Amino acid sequence: GFVPDALQVDISFLAAHVKTKREAACLVRLGMNANRLDVLLAAAQNSMLAVRALREHWSTIMDGHAHGHGHGDGAHMGSSADAGPQPACFALLPLLAQAEDVERRNAARLQGQITEQCRELWACKRDLEQCIEQNMSIALEFSEAGCAEIAREKTAVARVETALVQRLETLFGGGGGGGGTEGGAG
């Protein structure tokens, strides 16, 4: 999906350029949380589609009853071309309502998990901002000491991390990742 693709760092990049455990863990955590969010979003979408389908089945039964006739093709929920909905269709209504209730609770649970994943991603953003600051500081020190190659490498890592932070800000509209930001920082 879009979320994990936009927030993944290639493992070969990590192995070659990231030197601290904390920074590597932050980048791996970002990718894992992005994957989890993608899975949760897909599950929530499926749950809402199931609710819609259940509502459509309910409406089909009730519309057939209200009009006192079937849909003319004999293919809808036990109706025939000449008769209204069959009594057996009405027996389905409680089952449809129960299934819809289960799906709505599932969607609400998933929404809570999505909110938590967004908070986790926002925490990754804050950690990445610290890594960027550290890498830029180290790059400056190495550059001033005449170690241009190490300075370039640290700058390159900081640029990758900056791109990830910008993607997170785009994903959350510059806001606080579903849970707000602490201290008003963005």
Side-chain angles (χ1 to χ4, degrees):
F2 168 76
V3 174
D5 291 345
L7 299 175
Q8 291 289 345
V9 175
D10 189 76
I11 196 76
S12 62
F13 177 84
L14 286 174
H17 302 289
V18 177
K19 306 299 182 203
T20 68
K21 283 190 225 179
R22 182 179 72 78
E23 188 173 19
C26 176
L27 291 166
V28 169
R29 194 174 83 238
L30 174 66
M32 289 173 44
N33 285 324
N35 280 326
R36 283 187 198 120
L37 179 61
D38 195 54
V39 167
L40 290 168
L41 289 171
Q45 180 181 23
N46 288 339
S47 188
M48 293 313 298
L49 289 172
V51 167
R52 182 185 308 156
L54 290 164
R55 294 302 304 163
E56 288 173 2
H57 290 313
W58 179 280
S59 293
T60 298
I61 292 170
M62 295 310 292
D63 286 349
H65 175 68
H67 295 113
H69 57 79
H71 293 277
D73 61 5
H76 288 70
M77 303 299 278
S79 62
S80 67
D82 299 319
Q86 302 299 313
C89 291
F90 292 111
L92 291 175
L93 292 176
L95 296 173
L96 291 172
Q98 182 180 17
E100 181 181 350
D101 184 53
V102 167
E103 284 301 330
R104 286 187 186 279
R105 283 191 309 237
N106 186 45
R109 180 184 55 79
L110 288 166
Q111 182 58 49
Q113 291 175 340
I114 289 167
T115 299
E116 185 56 35
Q117 276 314 127
C118 290
R119 286 186 182 121
E120 290 291 327
L121 284 168
W122 202 250
C124 289
K125 175 195 170 288
R126 290 191 306 265
D127 292 345
L128 277 175
E129 289 169 335
Q130 293 173 356
C131 292
I132 293 165
E133 185 178 334
Q134 178 182 345
N135 282 324
M136 292 307 293
S137 177
I138 292 170
L140 181 61
E141 289 177 23
F142 276 109
S143 180
E144 290 172 354
C147 300
E149 185 177 330
I150 296 173
R152 279 192 302 273
E153 185 170 314
K154 287 296 182 182
T155 300
V157 171
R159 285 184 180 143
V160 168
E161 291 168 342
T162 298
L164 292 169
V165 165
Q166 290 170 341
R167 290 173 189 162
L168 283 165
E169 288 173 345
T170 298
L171 180 65
F172 295 118
T181 56
E182 286 133 33

